[in-house]
Amino acid sequence: MRTIVVLDAPSNLGLRPPAPGTVPGCYKLAGALREQRVVARLGALEGGVVVPPRYDRGDWKAGDGVFNAAAIARYTRTLADRIEGHVRAGEFALVLGGDCSIQLGAALALRRIGRYGLAAVDGSADFRHTGNSEGVGAAGGEELAIATGRGQADLSDLEGLRPYLRDEDVRLFGMRDEDEDQVELAALKIPNATVGQIRERGAADIARAAVESLETPALDGYWVHLDADVLDPSVMPAVDSPDDGGLLPDELAPLLRTLVSSPRCVGLNVTIYDPDLDPDGSAGALLADLVVGALADN
């Protein structure tokens, strides 16, 4: 049985304000999942909290690059320090976000240690960069591009370690079938499976094949990233971009369980769920059940 450590990374620095004068509510994700007793249900150790800097876009305007970049860079290093310690100790890190920019903390931590892969379960590729977009801004929609070395150096080249992830070491699951990033990902030979492809081939089978490809001797291990928006809005409306055509819980469950089952998987982060958009807590309860169900038997 692996030793699981639960670590809170309640950063919302990578998302746009949902409305003028407000901040994204995904910083409450960790607290909401803790209310669902994930630590006790998993028999996990307590990893504490990595407190994020204040959300403040200042006088940022379109064309200025990624907003909150200095704060995200600072937070990425601090979070990486904590994750690195757990991975080096042989512990499995369950990181409760936060928005998707927290994935940069895991990517940097693992890059310090060696060469690791990423299995990202996400409704979008989060691959926006200046080469395919008129402008960047929200790191929560750009973290994979940043982690693979695309983007401004103050985020993509921390500690001179660009890229944190190699293209060939990334696997993507759960993009919507019409996602425009598929063309670029195919050109870069980054394997990805859309919702339709997962349904056609079977979630467990497609995840098992990916795990086998990540268990190569060239890699020291891999990390799993879970964005709640991979789920269909009919069951997970509490996200910033609820797009129709997502996975259903009985499809995500075997996919996630298979991805984290390998002893080469060293951690999982959970992102984007926003308790402010879930007044009765049902979506949070579902997300907690899926995470606990994936890890409880591994």
Side-chain angles (χ1 to χ4, degrees):
M1 293 290 290
R2 62 180 51 159
T3 299
I4 300 173
V5 179
V6 178
L7 175 65
D8 293 7
S11 172
N12 60 0
L13 295 169
L15 290 186
R16 293 181 174 84
T22 66
V23 299
C26 63
Y27 72 93
K28 301 178 183 179
L29 181 157
L33 265 59
R34 283 177 176 272
E35 283 189 342
Q36 297 293 327
R37 302 181 58 253
V38 294
V39 178
R41 291 163 67 184
L42 290 170
L45 301 179
E46 177 57 67
V49 183
V50 180
V51 179
R54 178 170 173 259
Y55 186 98
D56 183 4
R57 299 203 306 171
D59 58 359
W60 178 90
K61 60 184 181 302
D64 288 346
V66 176
F67 57 75
N68 289 327
I72 292 171
R74 188 162 66 251
Y75 190 70
T76 295
R77 292 189 185 95
T78 304
L79 180 57
D81 290 344
R82 296 281 286 277
I83 293 174
E84 179 183 2
H86 292 305
V87 174
R88 288 190 182 278
E91 298 165 337
F92 183 95
L94 172 57
V95 182
L96 306 178
D99 70 71
C100 291
S101 67
I102 69 164
Q103 167 56 29
L104 294 173
L108 177 61
L110 298 176
R111 178 67 178 84
R112 291 170 176 172
I113 299 171
R115 178 179 171 185
Y116 285 78
L118 173 70
V121 184
D122 197 325
S124 59
D126 290 350
F127 205 66
R128 183 175 59 240
H129 57 87
T130 54
N132 63 18
S133 174
E134 292 183 358
V136 298
E142 300 159 12
E143 86 282 348
L144 182 58
I146 293 169
T148 54
R150 299 166 174 88
Q152 57 199 64
D154 58 350
L155 290 174
S156 64
D157 195 25
L158 295 173
E159 301 172 13
L161 292 177
R162 177 180 10 209
Y164 315 134
L165 295 165
R166 301 186 190 187
D167 291 351
E168 61 266 31
D169 298 338
V170 175
R171 309 288 183 271
L172 301 176
F173 308 87
M175 293 189 305
R176 303 310 192 251
D177 292 337
E178 66 279 5
D179 195 300
E180 295 179 354
D181 284 333
Q182 290 182 72
V183 175
E184 183 176 11
L185 295 172
L188 295 169
K189 299 182 180 180
I190 297 177
N192 60 93
T194 66
V195 171
Q197 291 167 333
I198 291 170
R199 287 177 177 156
E200 180 180 353
R201 294 177 52 187
D205 286 347
I206 207 165
R208 193 173 301 113
V211 168
E212 290 176 359
S213 73
L214 291 168
E215 289 178 328
T216 170
L219 292 177
D220 296 298
Y222 67 93
W223 185 272
V224 176
H225 165 73
L226 173 62
D227 183 331
D229 73 12
V230 75
L231 286 163
D232 192 81
S234 63
V235 294
M236 178 53 69
V239 297
D240 65 312
S241 298
D243 295 326
D244 291 335
L247 293 176
L248 297 175
D250 63 353
E251 296 167 327
L252 176 57
L255 178 73
L256 187 61
R257 183 170 59 248
T258 303
L259 289 175
V260 302
S261 65
S262 171
R264 302 289 296 281
C265 178
V266 299
L268 163 69
N269 56 250
V270 185
T271 63
I272 291 299
Y273 164 67
D274 185 343
D276 286 348
L277 305 176
D278 185 29
D280 67 359
S282 60
L286 170 63
L287 184 60
D289 287 347
L290 286 165
V291 171
V292 171
L295 292 172
D297 298 327
N298 291 303

